[in-house]
Amino acid sequence: MNLTQPSQENVEYMIEQIKDKLRMVNVDAMKSEHFDDSQYEDLHYLYNMVKNRTTFSPSEMQAIASELGSLRK
């Protein structure tokens, strides 16, 4: 999968991967259809940051969830 190209399919994939990695409880709040290509670069950056980390502090998880919330359309 080429995540460098903005597409709804890539957005869906990245959101699902972030939710899985963070084991987010309220997954309904982070449905992939709430995101579009306009914030793709920021979402891709966040995805890469989450993907490359093994653990997250509670405050980091809160900051990531907040950032995802700000990227929603």
Side-chain angles (χ1 to χ4, degrees):
M1 179 171 272
N2 181 5
L3 295 176
T4 60
Q5 298 298 320
S7 73
Q8 190 59 35
E9 181 182 324
N10 287 349
V11 168
E12 290 173 18
Y13 175 80
M14 288 189 293
I15 294 297
E16 290 304 314
Q17 293 299 308
I18 290 171
K19 288 190 309 190
D20 288 346
K21 180 88 177 209
L22 297 180
R23 297 182 198 109
M24 294 181 79
V25 176
N26 190 3
V27 293
D28 287 337
M30 292 298 150
K31 291 183 178 179
S32 57
E33 56 265 14
H34 295 153
F35 299 86
D36 61 22
D37 299 8
S38 66
Q39 302 283 354
Y40 190 83
E41 223 176 276
D42 295 329
L43 181 59
H44 189 251
Y45 173 81
L46 189 60
Y47 164 78
N48 282 324
M49 190 266 303
V50 169
K51 182 181 79 164
N52 291 321
R53 299 277 310 269
T54 56
T55 60
F56 300 92
S57 71
S59 61
E60 288 172 323
M61 289 184 70
Q62 184 176 5
I64 292 167
S66 176
E67 183 64 26
L68 281 170
S70 72
L71 294 176
R72 292 176 65 181
K73 52 179 168 176

